[in-house]
Amino acid sequence: MPTPVSTIPNIRDALRATFRSGLTRPIAWRQHQLYQLARMAQNERELICGALHKDLGKPKTEVLMAEVGALIQIAVKSAEQLPEWAKTEYPEVPDWQKSWKPTLYKVPRGTVLIISPWNYPMILTFQPLIGAIAAGCTAALKPSELVPTFSQLLEEIVPKYLDPNAYQVVNGAVPETSKLLELQWDHIFYTGNSRVARIVASAAAKHLTPLALELGGKSPVIIDSAYDIDIAAKRILWGKCRNAGQICVAPDYVLVQRDKQDELAKAFQKHYKAFFPDGALDSPLFGSIVSELHHKRLTSLLSRTKGEIVLQGRADAARRRLEPTIVKDVADGDSLLEEEIFGPILPLVPVDSLQQAIDFVNARSHPLVLYAFSDNESLKQQLVSETQSGGIVFNDTVQQLSVTELPFTGVGESGYGYQFMKHTYDTFTQLRSSIDMPTEAEPYLASRYPPYSEEAVKALTAAVYMPIQPSL
Ligand code: NAD
């Protein structure tokens, strides 16, 4: 059930009043909420798995691993590390400023809005919330209308575990989200596609609200022809099969040396057979496509490709099923290179050199992640320095998400703003600077007051004449 639009401003106002009341300030209170969130994921996991199976056909193991388990781990680790993160800092300053007590307070940004998508609805709603709770913010959560059973479930279970004065679920689609976006928030954390990101950013601009935009795009894979093609195929196919390719860091297309393309195609066929001996169409280990519209979009991309299908996936529109489909000899301008695929289709794009692969990547929007398979260290460094992407991963796919100590971000068209563990905490935290000038400092401040003596001007403008490193 959508949240009545007329009640949305009251929800924001109540969250703001809670923030002002100071309820969320004590570290122990925040830790309790984080542990409660972990308990919610643990205790309600059967309901969560059931809802995600109904909405997405998501395999239970995938939900337990990538959504429930990941959430519990991040919430517990964040609660444990929070006292360290939240410590007030006293930065090193020159001796003459020490008595001013320069201080860095870590303060919550305030009342925040978290808008999440349908593909990993659990982790993508709560991963940002963990940072917001840790930082001491109050928050409204807006889950996706494309996973209605799950979003409804959140409305029921969240208040049982988290303090409803501080955290509220708002359900609905465009009208409800538009109402939320009309209001002033102290931070907005949006995960989803870049078209809606532009709507969110425009709305935020009206209030000068700071933003994190966690978007997607076409994440390429480059394979060095000297690398073990069999292992590359296995690791790429595994990543591509997560949630039936509906993951922001899915390998989107593969740039492979022309003379290695057929070997790669054969390796994909072999590993597909090993993963799904009876095919993926009816496998409980393979997810469904989220909606009829997306199923149609994917089959239409396939019907228009000029490439050659080397792994033919079967489609069942009625059940929104689509098996992994691999297409070779895909060239610039092909339907499969138009937009983020976000489904189990993998185009192979033959290239004649590594430079051609780098040029291909650089001619497009900056991806969320660049994958490269190579054992050659200088080639890896060349990719680091000659390309741009949110992250760069060597010799595997998707697994980087489990390293929560590393910041996760996009760049350019794939978004901005950092998340995961302390990075999410930092996103929702303002560094509030302070100095406290002692009365006794007055004699040392004398030169700043007008009228200035010649000596005072000399002292006050000394930096203008300071020596600058002559050899650099
Ligand atoms: P979606 O359709 O569920 O939309 C995301 C949110 O935006 C929803 O809550 C929805 O209600 C809201 N929304 C939709 N239209 C709106 C409008 N006109 N005005 C205001 N709000 C609106 O999800 P999606 O965008 O299809 O998600 C998939 C995309 O998200 C892919 O591009 C994927 O790569 C990206 N993604 C990125 C990350 C990341 O962490 N970088 C993670 C997951 C998904």
Side-chain angles (χ1 to χ4, degrees):
M1 282 282 286
T3 304
V5 169
S6 61
T7 64
I8 290 175
N10 303 339
I11 293 173
R12 197 283 314 264
D13 291 349
L15 292 172
R16 175 150 292 159
T18 302
F19 179 72
R20 296 246 185 280
S21 77
L23 177 79
T24 61
R25 292 300 178 110
I27 297 293
W29 186 91
R30 301 181 205 176
Q31 286 175 306
H32 173 67
Q33 298 298 314
L34 291 170
Y35 287 127
Q36 281 294 96
L37 193 53
R39 286 182 194 110
M40 182 189 88
Q42 201 161 61
N43 297 349
E44 310 293 349
R45 62 187 182 277
E46 289 304 323
L47 288 176
I48 292 162
C49 288
L52 289 183
H53 187 262
K54 184 148 182 239
D55 288 338
L56 277 174
K58 216 179 228 203
K60 189 170 179 178
T61 321
E62 272 195 49
V63 177
L64 290 177
M65 192 179 72
E67 304 237 51
V68 175
L71 171 64
I72 294 172
Q73 206 171 31
I74 296 172
V76 169
K77 279 203 288 183
S78 296
E80 287 167 1
Q81 294 176 26
L82 177 57
E84 192 56 38
W85 300 344
K87 265 191 190 151
T88 299
E89 289 179 22
Y90 304 95
E92 270 306 309
V93 295
D95 282 348
W96 57 278
Q97 291 179 328
K98 283 196 167 132
S99 68
W100 308 356
K101 298 198 216 96
T103 303
L104 214 51
Y105 295 105
K106 317 280 179 68
V107 299
R109 285 197 176 275
T111 298
V112 304
L113 172 62
I114 295 169
I115 304 176
S116 53
W118 53 268
N119 66 325
Y120 281 81
M122 177 92 184
I123 196 77
L124 296 175
T125 304
F126 293 111
Q127 207 282 126
L129 181 66
I130 288 170
I133 294 176
C137 295
T138 56
L141 305 173
K142 164 58 192 71
S144 175
E145 66 278 18
L146 293 187
V147 278
T149 321
F150 175 78
S151 298
Q152 187 56 44
L153 178 66
L154 287 195
E155 215 175 304
E156 287 154 26
I157 61 177
V158 167
K160 288 190 195 160
Y161 292 86
L162 298 186
D163 189 330
N165 294 308
Y167 311 109
Q168 281 283 327
V169 177
V170 174
N171 266 323
V174 175
E176 293 75 15
T177 320
S178 304
K179 181 44 103 183
L180 283 166
L181 288 172
E182 267 176 33
L183 304 171
Q184 195 263 333
W185 300 90
D186 298 313
H187 192 86
I188 299 177
F189 194 106
Y190 166 83
T191 308
N193 68 69
S194 57
R195 182 187 61 80
V196 173
R198 286 173 164 81
I199 298 173
V200 173
S202 305
K206 292 207 177 92
H207 298 288
L208 297 180
T209 299
L211 274 179
L213 297 178
E214 302 286 344
L215 314 179
K218 292 182 85 63
S219 293
V221 184
I222 294 177
I223 304 183
D224 170 6
S225 50
Y227 191 82
D228 185 327
I229 294 289
D230 188 70
I231 292 205
K234 191 180 187 182
R235 294 181 180 181
I236 296 166
L237 186 66
W238 174 79
K240 189 67 178 180
C241 288
R242 301 301 86 209
N243 200 29
Q246 302 163 111
I247 179 166
C248 56
V249 292
D252 192 277
Y253 63 94
V254 182
L255 294 156
V256 58
Q257 199 79 19
R258 201 171 296 280
D259 60 359
K260 291 281 179 178
Q261 188 182 217
D262 287 334
E263 186 184 342
L264 181 65
K266 280 210 179 70
F268 277 129
Q269 291 160 352
K270 174 185 133 185
H271 290 298
Y272 177 63
K273 195 96 198 111
F275 290 175
F276 304 102
D278 301 317
L281 197 68
D282 300 308
S283 171
L285 303 181
F286 194 78
S288 305
I289 304 305
V290 65
S291 66
E292 210 176 294
L293 204 72
H294 276 285
H295 195 275
K296 242 189 219 145
R297 177 182 66 79
L298 290 165
T299 49
S300 151
L301 288 179
L302 272 177
S303 71
R304 292 187 290 118
T305 180
K306 302 266 188 307
E308 182 188 332
I309 292 184
V310 288
L311 182 69
Q312 175 75 68
R314 291 168 294 172
D316 178 346
R319 291 188 297 141
R320 308 192 316 269
R321 304 287 291 175
L322 180 61
E323 290 180 318
T325 301
I326 296 179
V327 186
K328 77 167 189 176
D329 283 333
V330 173
D332 201 357
D334 194 274
S335 60
L336 297 180
L337 297 176
E338 276 170 11
E339 59 184 66
E340 179 181 9
I341 291 176
F342 222 59
I345 303 171
L346 186 65
L348 311 184
V349 181
V351 289
D352 296 311
S353 65
L354 176 76
Q355 193 54 51
Q356 203 186 332
I358 292 177
D359 293 344
F360 194 94
V361 170
N362 285 341
R364 287 159 176 75
S365 304
H366 301 326
L368 188 55
V369 51
L370 173 63
Y371 294 111
F373 286 81
S374 177
D375 288 326
N376 180 333
E377 289 307 318
S378 71
L379 188 151
K380 290 182 196 172
Q381 287 316 308
Q382 186 184 355
L383 288 171
V384 170
S385 62
E386 293 183 14
T387 63
Q388 273 183 282
S389 59
I392 183 161
V393 171
F394 298 109
N395 304 327
D396 205 1
T397 64
V398 180
Q399 196 65 48
Q400 70 274 20
L401 296 179
S402 64
V403 189
T404 50
E405 285 71 20
L406 285 173
F408 185 77
T409 183
V411 58
E413 190 70 19
S414 51
Y416 52 81
Y418 296 96
Q419 62 173 324
F420 282 4
M421 297 288 296
K422 177 163 187 311
H423 304 287
T424 326
Y425 166 84
D426 287 343
T427 288
F428 288 103
T429 297
Q430 183 209 334
L431 297 179
R432 193 174 190 194
S433 298
S434 170
I435 62 167
D436 181 358
M437 189 65 78
T439 315
E440 302 75 53
E442 200 50 29
Y444 304 99
L445 301 175
S447 64
R448 73 180 184 182
Y449 301 113
Y452 309 113
S453 66
E454 209 171 301
E455 208 177 314
V457 171
K458 217 168 164 189
L460 292 169
T461 61
V464 175
Y465 309 101
M466 72 187 281
I468 298 170
Q469 177 59 259
S471 63
L472 280 178

